[in-house]
Amino acid sequence: MNAVSPASTAPLHGLTVIDLSLTTPGAYASVFLADAGADVIMVEPPAGNPMRKETGWPALARGKKSVTLDLQTDTGLTALHDLLRSADVLITTSRPAALERLGLTPDDLADLNPRLVSASITGWGTTGPWANDKGYEALVLARMGVFHGKAQMSERPGPSFTPTPWAAWGAAHTAVQGVLSALYERESSGVGQHVEADLLRGAASMDTYNWFFELVCARWPDAYQAMYAFDDQGRPAAPLIYPLLVAQTKDGHWLQFAQTEPRLFFAMMTEFGLAHVFADPYWQGLPIFEDVERRVELRDIMLEKVRERTLAEWQHVFDTNPDVSAEIFNDPVAALDHPQLQHDGRVVTVDDPDLGPVRQPSTLVHVDGKPLTELRPAPRLGADTEQVLAGIASGSNASSTTDAPTGALPLAGVTILELGSMFAAPYGATLLTDLGARVLKVEPLAGDSMRGLVAFPEAGGAKVLQGKESVALDINTPEGLAIVHELAKKSDIVLQSYRAGAAERIGVDAATLKALNPDLVYLNAPGYGTGGPYGGRPAYAPSVGAASGLSMSDLGGLDLHGENLEEIKRIALRRHTAGANPSVQADGVAALGVASSMLLGLLARKRGYPMGDMTATMLSSATHALMDRNIDYANRPEPPVSDPDLYGLGALYRLYEASDGWIFLAAPQDSEWNTLVEALKPYTDLAQQKFSTPDLRRTHATDLAESLDAVLRTRSKFEWEKDLGAQDIGCVAVTERTPESHLQGDEYFEAGYTVLADSPIFDEHRRLAPLTRFSRSKVKADAGCTIGEHTDSILAEIGFDPERIAELREKGIVG
């Protein structure tokens, strides 16, 4: 294992986290904190956390302690309350009513320990129409419209289920960001507070641009029509299909190309032997054609060109032609063999005393090229109970503070200098603007290329630009670089996402900027790495999705191959839908990791544990989002796998067709069976011998699914949602719109999931509400900005007078 910093200098050293969660979102949140040096104590029921049976447990519980308490007894509850009196952080994933029964409401916790930062992760939030509904991940994705957006992953009609933990990852990191921000604020105020995150907002955070595309189409339907990658017949409908080609090689391997820049697309077509099409009148307008036949013809030609060569032959192209690249569609386990991850030491093996060697991703954040801390195995059940409980009386966080400050932004006064483009890293900075950080976005005179991604001007970048101040300049000139250096002197964080070597060539690398400002928190957030075999390659969401295993995870592990062009086209459509759907994809995954990483560095500096040069890559973040399924060890249990038609994970956790659409039924726990039987008794008899035990229900899963399918078709989807939901059974009507369109509706606005913002381009509009809520601190929800909108005011702050600014503008240095 790589050498790491000693635990005493880990950024969260000395902080105690109590993890009461029994589900994936809580585990993802607390493992990030444990990896950063926090003392994470899992409180488990006497029978153990049910997640212990899952594939990812050895990684998701690594470095934590285990204490067993029976919270149904007064003794267990008293011990928990005593633990909380000396803790810094509490993480829960129970519904509000359950926490109230345990005496763990925000008011209860504040009375127990005024310095405590408590984080609640729920399915829907603690207020609004669904606050006490079951919060299973699939219910959230179904109601949002994610399954509708994934429909073309399967060849049957209707929505497609995805087992990838998109919402769990999103909710976990929005909770982490709330916790770290509240701890940062506590360093000044001395008082903790309650933080809330939920799966709905966590999943919605994955989209980085489609929100405003849907807004434009809704506002001006006569001028702008929603254009998706493929039409209902599976024919290409959008120009990005060609640069983001999904194709099968001669020997049956699948490649995801990522040639979105014009010069890269030209290089790709040249490699295909198709450079002549750019001068051929027949292909005028490439890659945008009005007639469908020509769109289909071009894709057919490109698919055949890829099929002329084996994977080895294509790999030689990628190794020798820096302008052409593609990634293999890896399954999550195989993804850990990626050359870049291996080069960066981002895959480690931890010896587990029971399981043996466990291969898994290293820490999400690396510092000075090494993992953040040395990883320790997951604890045995109750291994730390005696020691932890014996130490309860040794300390308390009780505070005499009575006047807790309220109403301030938790990151007020923090300035982030953003150097980079497109989505993954910049959107991470966007998330922190809602918490009060000031983000100075340096972009070229023509603007960040994401601004022109979609047909309506500025719509492509509007979401990532929310809350930022834009300074447009030519960083490649001495004068432009000098401006960036001056801004770095006045910043707290520098975020850069250039490809390997670019920051050094430009003069904005960590060594240069820290020489100007030794207190800087510096985060590298490239696609692949700051060096290594892939460091210089472009990284886009679909290619990283393929490389990391996200795409294959979405497909439920279905590794499909075609024998002829027609089969290849159908399978390519399914793979493209898995990897390039804008609602949930690798850009959003990486952005959440970037935001958490910056906050970690900021808090570490304030606590007196300043970190070196931090790195969090897009590829490595994607592997972290799959830690529930990509770790490898002997005799590991297989992760849940979808059925071949992508209905779900079994008869009691899957999509069903109602009389007027689709529902998702979620009753996977044994404890939910009798309630479901009673609820459906007026319609069918499930109290049959062959369904009477969990083992029998698994044995007869096909019969059970057929019985449920027959009865659920008899009523409308909203009737089932209302009636089953009233009996506390997880059931939602599947939304048949994209999430970004659906979430802009009145229902979500009135429930507080969206808020109003005022944009210089889009005027008043609805945007996603801040992802994290605080009991004392406030948040804000600003709109985007135009190119260079703040250039003059920012330059004035660092001492430039109007005459000097005008001179720089005349010389083409600022805009």
mmCIF file of all heavy atoms in Angstrom, residues 493-527:
data_model
loop_
_atom_site.group_PDB
_atom_site.id
_atom_site.type_symbol
_atom_site.label_atom_id
_atom_site.label_comp_id
_atom_site.label_asym_id
_atom_site.label_seq_id
_atom_site.Cartn_x
_atom_site.Cartn_y
_atom_site.Cartn_z
ATOM 1 N N ILE A 493 -9.467 29.151 -2.084
ATOM 2 C CA ILE A 493 -9.382 27.875 -2.788
ATOM 3 C C ILE A 493 -9.114 28.140 -4.258
ATOM 4 O O ILE A 493 -9.694 29.069 -4.843
ATOM 5 C CB ILE A 493 -10.701 27.077 -2.658
ATOM 6 C CG1 ILE A 493 -11.061 26.842 -1.192
ATOM 7 C CG2 ILE A 493 -10.620 25.749 -3.407
ATOM 8 C CD1 ILE A 493 -12.448 26.234 -0.994
ATOM 9 N N VAL A 494 -8.257 27.338 -4.848
ATOM 10 C CA VAL A 494 -8.107 27.315 -6.301
ATOM 11 C C VAL A 494 -8.553 25.940 -6.788
ATOM 12 O O VAL A 494 -8.106 24.911 -6.284
ATOM 13 C CB VAL A 494 -6.657 27.589 -6.746
ATOM 14 C CG1 VAL A 494 -6.479 27.251 -8.226
ATOM 15 C CG2 VAL A 494 -6.305 29.051 -6.509
ATOM 16 N N LEU A 495 -9.455 25.943 -7.744
ATOM 17 C CA LEU A 495 -9.944 24.720 -8.372
ATOM 18 C C LEU A 495 -9.493 24.720 -9.820
ATOM 19 O O LEU A 495 -9.856 25.616 -10.579
ATOM 20 C CB LEU A 495 -11.472 24.663 -8.300
ATOM 21 C CG LEU A 495 -12.170 23.577 -9.130
ATOM 22 C CD1 LEU A 495 -11.798 22.192 -8.629
ATOM 23 C CD2 LEU A 495 -13.681 23.776 -9.118
ATOM 24 N N GLN A 496 -8.702 23.737 -10.207
ATOM 25 C CA GLN A 496 -8.273 23.665 -11.610
ATOM 26 C C GLN A 496 -8.565 22.276 -12.153
ATOM 27 O O GLN A 496 -8.381 21.273 -11.460
ATOM 28 C CB GLN A 496 -6.795 24.028 -11.764
ATOM 29 C CG GLN A 496 -5.789 22.961 -11.409
ATOM 30 C CD GLN A 496 -5.476 22.003 -12.555
ATOM 31 O OE1 GLN A 496 -5.855 22.244 -13.700
ATOM 32 N NE2 GLN A 496 -4.795 20.908 -12.245
ATOM 33 N N SER A 497 -9.027 22.228 -13.404
ATOM 34 C CA SER A 497 -9.424 20.938 -13.994
ATOM 35 C C SER A 497 -8.820 20.734 -15.380
ATOM 36 O O SER A 497 -9.390 20.024 -16.204
ATOM 37 C CB SER A 497 -10.950 20.847 -14.071
ATOM 38 O OG SER A 497 -11.499 21.911 -14.844
ATOM 39 N N TYR A 498 -7.679 21.375 -15.648
ATOM 40 C CA TYR A 498 -7.019 21.178 -16.942
ATOM 41 C C TYR A 498 -6.461 19.755 -17.047
ATOM 42 O O TYR A 498 -6.253 19.071 -16.044
ATOM 43 C CB TYR A 498 -5.881 22.177 -17.115
ATOM 44 C CG TYR A 498 -6.302 23.623 -17.069
ATOM 45 C CD1 TYR A 498 -5.703 24.511 -16.152
ATOM 46 C CD2 TYR A 498 -7.274 24.127 -17.915
ATOM 47 C CE1 TYR A 498 -6.065 25.842 -16.104
ATOM 48 C CE2 TYR A 498 -7.646 25.461 -17.874
ATOM 49 C CZ TYR A 498 -7.043 26.311 -16.971
ATOM 50 O OH TYR A 498 -7.409 27.630 -16.911
ATOM 51 N N ARG A 499 -6.166 19.358 -18.273
ATOM 52 C CA ARG A 499 -5.517 18.062 -18.466
ATOM 53 C C ARG A 499 -4.090 18.116 -17.919
ATOM 54 O O ARG A 499 -3.536 19.186 -17.676
ATOM 55 C CB ARG A 499 -5.505 17.702 -19.956
ATOM 56 C CG ARG A 499 -6.884 17.518 -20.557
ATOM 57 C CD ARG A 499 -6.782 17.082 -22.004
ATOM 58 N NE ARG A 499 -7.950 17.532 -22.775
ATOM 59 C CZ ARG A 499 -8.076 17.419 -24.074
ATOM 60 N NH1 ARG A 499 -7.085 16.871 -24.786
ATOM 61 N NH2 ARG A 499 -9.161 17.830 -24.690
ATOM 62 N N ALA A 500 -3.486 16.955 -17.779
ATOM 63 C CA ALA A 500 -2.165 16.851 -17.165
ATOM 64 C C ALA A 500 -1.154 17.775 -17.836
ATOM 65 O O ALA A 500 -1.043 17.809 -19.066
ATOM 66 C CB ALA A 500 -1.673 15.412 -17.242
ATOM 67 N N GLY A 501 -0.431 18.530 -17.035
ATOM 68 C CA GLY A 501 0.642 19.391 -17.516
ATOM 69 C C GLY A 501 0.204 20.776 -17.920
ATOM 70 O O GLY A 501 1.038 21.686 -18.012
ATOM 71 N N ALA A 502 -1.094 20.984 -18.162
ATOM 72 C CA ALA A 502 -1.548 22.281 -18.666
ATOM 73 C C ALA A 502 -1.389 23.380 -17.626
ATOM 74 O O ALA A 502 -0.989 24.512 -17.950
ATOM 75 C CB ALA A 502 -3.001 22.181 -19.123
ATOM 76 N N ALA A 503 -1.706 23.094 -16.363
ATOM 77 C CA ALA A 503 -1.599 24.126 -15.326
ATOM 78 C C ALA A 503 -0.159 24.616 -15.195
ATOM 79 O O ALA A 503 0.090 25.818 -15.027
ATOM 80 C CB ALA A 503 -2.104 23.578 -13.991
ATOM 81 N N GLU A 504 0.809 23.679 -15.280
ATOM 82 C CA GLU A 504 2.222 24.073 -15.207
ATOM 83 C C GLU A 504 2.614 24.917 -16.417
ATOM 84 O O GLU A 504 3.329 25.927 -16.280
ATOM 85 C CB GLU A 504 3.106 22.824 -15.127
ATOM 86 C CG GLU A 504 3.037 22.078 -13.805
ATOM 87 C CD GLU A 504 1.819 21.162 -13.698
ATOM 88 O OE1 GLU A 504 1.030 21.076 -14.682
ATOM 89 O OE2 GLU A 504 1.645 20.537 -12.648
ATOM 90 N N ARG A 505 2.166 24.513 -17.607
ATOM 91 C CA ARG A 505 2.511 25.273 -18.816
ATOM 92 C C ARG A 505 1.946 26.687 -18.763
ATOM 93 O O ARG A 505 2.605 27.650 -19.167
ATOM 94 C CB ARG A 505 1.984 24.559 -20.064
ATOM 95 C CG ARG A 505 2.720 23.268 -20.410
ATOM 96 C CD ARG A 505 2.372 22.812 -21.817
ATOM 97 N NE ARG A 505 0.950 22.537 -21.974
ATOM 98 C CZ ARG A 505 0.375 21.367 -21.729
ATOM 99 N NH1 ARG A 505 1.116 20.356 -21.279
ATOM 100 N NH2 ARG A 505 -0.922 21.192 -21.911
ATOM 101 N N ILE A 506 0.746 26.814 -18.240
ATOM 102 C CA ILE A 506 0.109 28.133 -18.183
ATOM 103 C C ILE A 506 0.722 28.983 -17.077
ATOM 104 O O ILE A 506 0.869 30.205 -17.220
ATOM 105 C CB ILE A 506 -1.411 27.969 -17.954
ATOM 106 C CG1 ILE A 506 -2.056 27.264 -19.153
ATOM 107 C CG2 ILE A 506 -2.078 29.326 -17.731
ATOM 108 C CD1 ILE A 506 -3.490 26.842 -18.911
ATOM 109 N N GLY A 507 1.084 28.345 -15.953
ATOM 110 C CA GLY A 507 1.616 29.087 -14.816
ATOM 111 C C GLY A 507 0.608 29.230 -13.692
ATOM 112 O O GLY A 507 0.649 30.209 -12.928
ATOM 113 N N VAL A 508 -0.311 28.253 -13.570
ATOM 114 C CA VAL A 508 -1.303 28.305 -12.493
ATOM 115 C C VAL A 508 -1.275 27.015 -11.671
ATOM 116 O O VAL A 508 -2.270 26.637 -11.058
ATOM 117 C CB VAL A 508 -2.722 28.574 -13.047
ATOM 118 C CG1 VAL A 508 -2.809 29.967 -13.641
ATOM 119 C CG2 VAL A 508 -3.120 27.515 -14.085
ATOM 120 N N ASP A 509 -0.151 26.338 -11.671
ATOM 121 C CA ASP A 509 -0.012 25.110 -10.899
ATOM 122 C C ASP A 509 0.077 25.437 -9.408
ATOM 123 O O ASP A 509 0.243 26.595 -9.015
ATOM 124 C CB ASP A 509 1.226 24.350 -11.352
ATOM 125 C CG ASP A 509 2.470 25.222 -11.296
ATOM 126 O OD1 ASP A 509 2.538 26.199 -12.086
ATOM 127 O OD2 ASP A 509 3.353 24.972 -10.457
ATOM 128 N N ALA A 510 -0.006 24.406 -8.589
ATOM 129 C CA ALA A 510 -0.029 24.609 -7.144
ATOM 130 C C ALA A 510 1.235 25.292 -6.634
ATOM 131 O O ALA A 510 1.172 26.200 -5.795
ATOM 132 C CB ALA A 510 -0.230 23.265 -6.440
ATOM 133 N N ALA A 511 2.392 24.852 -7.127
ATOM 134 C CA ALA A 511 3.640 25.442 -6.634
ATOM 135 C C ALA A 511 3.691 26.931 -6.918
ATOM 136 O O ALA A 511 4.086 27.736 -6.062
ATOM 137 C CB ALA A 511 4.828 24.728 -7.274
ATOM 138 N N THR A 512 3.288 27.326 -8.115
ATOM 139 C CA THR A 512 3.326 28.745 -8.492
ATOM 140 C C THR A 512 2.368 29.561 -7.647
ATOM 141 O O THR A 512 2.724 30.621 -7.103
ATOM 142 C CB THR A 512 2.977 28.905 -9.981
ATOM 143 O OG1 THR A 512 3.944 28.209 -10.765
ATOM 144 C CG2 THR A 512 2.962 30.368 -10.378
ATOM 145 N N LEU A 513 1.129 29.089 -7.512
ATOM 146 C CA LEU A 513 0.127 29.891 -6.817
ATOM 147 C C LEU A 513 0.316 29.868 -5.309
ATOM 148 O O LEU A 513 0.049 30.865 -4.623
ATOM 149 C CB LEU A 513 -1.274 29.403 -7.184
ATOM 150 C CG LEU A 513 -1.641 29.539 -8.673
ATOM 151 C CD1 LEU A 513 -3.114 29.221 -8.892
ATOM 152 C CD2 LEU A 513 -1.321 30.937 -9.204
ATOM 153 N N LYS A 514 0.820 28.755 -4.773
ATOM 154 C CA LYS A 514 1.070 28.728 -3.323
ATOM 155 C C LYS A 514 2.280 29.571 -2.941
ATOM 156 O O LYS A 514 2.392 30.022 -1.795
ATOM 157 C CB LYS A 514 1.246 27.288 -2.846
ATOM 158 C CG LYS A 514 -0.078 26.525 -2.739
ATOM 159 C CD LYS A 514 0.109 25.192 -2.044
ATOM 160 C CE LYS A 514 -1.221 24.543 -1.759
ATOM 161 N NZ LYS A 514 -1.087 23.276 -1.008
ATOM 162 N N ALA A 515 3.181 29.801 -3.886
ATOM 163 C CA ALA A 515 4.284 30.725 -3.616
ATOM 164 C C ALA A 515 3.753 32.144 -3.443
ATOM 165 O O ALA A 515 4.313 32.947 -2.699
ATOM 166 C CB ALA A 515 5.299 30.668 -4.755
ATOM 167 N N LEU A 516 2.642 32.436 -4.128
ATOM 168 C CA LEU A 516 2.010 33.744 -4.013
ATOM 169 C C LEU A 516 1.085 33.828 -2.809
ATOM 170 O O LEU A 516 0.887 34.901 -2.241
ATOM 171 C CB LEU A 516 1.205 34.042 -5.287
ATOM 172 C CG LEU A 516 1.999 34.078 -6.598
ATOM 173 C CD1 LEU A 516 1.051 34.154 -7.786
ATOM 174 C CD2 LEU A 516 2.956 35.270 -6.602
ATOM 175 N N ASN A 517 0.478 32.681 -2.444
ATOM 176 C CA ASN A 517 -0.482 32.633 -1.353
ATOM 177 C C ASN A 517 -0.319 31.296 -0.632
ATOM 178 O O ASN A 517 -0.971 30.312 -0.969
ATOM 179 C CB ASN A 517 -1.909 32.797 -1.886
ATOM 180 C CG ASN A 517 -2.956 32.774 -0.789
ATOM 181 O OD1 ASN A 517 -2.658 32.548 0.380
ATOM 182 N ND2 ASN A 517 -4.205 32.992 -1.170
ATOM 183 N N PRO A 518 0.544 31.241 0.374
ATOM 184 C CA PRO A 518 0.850 29.958 1.035
ATOM 185 C C PRO A 518 -0.351 29.297 1.699
ATOM 186 O O PRO A 518 -0.330 28.098 1.968
ATOM 187 C CB PRO A 518 1.910 30.345 2.073
ATOM 188 C CG PRO A 518 2.508 31.610 1.554
ATOM 189 C CD PRO A 518 1.390 32.338 0.870
ATOM 190 N N ASP A 519 -1.398 30.062 1.978
ATOM 191 C CA ASP A 519 -2.560 29.500 2.671
ATOM 192 C C ASP A 519 -3.610 28.917 1.718
ATOM 193 O O ASP A 519 -4.670 28.474 2.161
ATOM 194 C CB ASP A 519 -3.233 30.581 3.534
ATOM 195 C CG ASP A 519 -2.376 30.972 4.729
ATOM 196 O OD1 ASP A 519 -1.590 30.126 5.191
ATOM 197 O OD2 ASP A 519 -2.495 32.117 5.190
ATOM 198 N N LEU A 520 -3.319 28.889 0.437
ATOM 199 C CA LEU A 520 -4.292 28.401 -0.535
ATOM 200 C C LEU A 520 -4.639 26.931 -0.298
ATOM 201 O O LEU A 520 -3.775 26.097 -0.018
ATOM 202 C CB LEU A 520 -3.738 28.524 -1.960
ATOM 203 C CG LEU A 520 -4.062 29.765 -2.777
ATOM 204 C CD1 LEU A 520 -3.430 29.635 -4.155
ATOM 205 C CD2 LEU A 520 -5.567 29.989 -2.901
ATOM 206 N N VAL A 521 -5.911 26.633 -0.449
ATOM 207 C CA VAL A 521 -6.363 25.247 -0.609
ATOM 208 C C VAL A 521 -6.397 25.006 -2.118
ATOM 209 O O VAL A 521 -7.100 25.707 -2.842
ATOM 210 C CB VAL A 521 -7.757 25.042 0.003
ATOM 211 C CG1 VAL A 521 -8.280 23.641 -0.315
ATOM 212 C CG2 VAL A 521 -7.735 25.298 1.497
ATOM 213 N N TYR A 522 -5.626 24.046 -2.596
ATOM 214 C CA TYR A 522 -5.486 23.847 -4.040
ATOM 215 C C TYR A 522 -6.000 22.453 -4.390
ATOM 216 O O TYR A 522 -5.504 21.443 -3.882
ATOM 217 C CB TYR A 522 -4.022 23.984 -4.464
ATOM 218 C CG TYR A 522 -3.812 24.069 -5.965
ATOM 219 C CD1 TYR A 522 -3.628 25.295 -6.589
ATOM 220 C CD2 TYR A 522 -3.785 22.923 -6.755
ATOM 221 C CE1 TYR A 522 -3.426 25.388 -7.965
ATOM 222 C CE2 TYR A 522 -3.590 23.001 -8.122
ATOM 223 C CZ TYR A 522 -3.417 24.236 -8.719
ATOM 224 O OH TYR A 522 -3.215 24.319 -10.076
ATOM 225 N N LEU A 523 -7.013 22.396 -5.267
ATOM 226 C CA LEU A 523 -7.584 21.113 -5.686
ATOM 227 C C LEU A 523 -7.427 20.921 -7.188
ATOM 228 O O LEU A 523 -7.935 21.710 -7.986
ATOM 229 C CB LEU A 523 -9.065 21.030 -5.324
ATOM 230 C CG LEU A 523 -9.776 19.750 -5.790
ATOM 231 C CD1 LEU A 523 -9.202 18.515 -5.094
ATOM 232 C CD2 LEU A 523 -11.286 19.841 -5.553
ATOM 233 N N ASN A 524 -6.713 19.864 -7.550
ATOM 234 C CA ASN A 524 -6.688 19.408 -8.936
ATOM 235 C C ASN A 524 -7.917 18.521 -9.160
ATOM 236 O O ASN A 524 -8.138 17.571 -8.401
ATOM 237 C CB ASN A 524 -5.435 18.571 -9.209
ATOM 238 C CG ASN A 524 -4.159 19.341 -8.980
ATOM 239 O OD1 ASN A 524 -3.810 20.241 -9.731
ATOM 240 N ND2 ASN A 524 -3.433 18.976 -7.915
ATOM 241 N N ALA A 525 -8.673 18.802 -10.188
ATOM 242 C CA ALA A 525 -9.868 18.001 -10.465
ATOM 243 C C ALA A 525 -9.955 17.670 -11.953
ATOM 244 O O ALA A 525 -10.904 18.031 -12.634
ATOM 245 C CB ALA A 525 -11.116 18.736 -9.998
ATOM 246 N N PRO A 526 -8.946 16.969 -12.489
ATOM 247 C CA PRO A 526 -8.954 16.631 -13.915
ATOM 248 C C PRO A 526 -9.860 15.430 -14.179
ATOM 249 O O PRO A 526 -10.385 14.795 -13.254
ATOM 250 C CB PRO A 526 -7.492 16.279 -14.177
ATOM 251 C CG PRO A 526 -7.031 15.688 -12.868
ATOM 252 C CD PRO A 526 -7.760 16.455 -11.796
ATOM 253 N N GLY A 527 -10.004 15.102 -15.456
ATOM 254 C CA GLY A 527 -10.805 13.940 -15.801
ATOM 255 C C GLY A 527 -10.145 12.649 -15.384
ATOM 256 O O GLY A 527 -10.755 11.772 -14.778
#
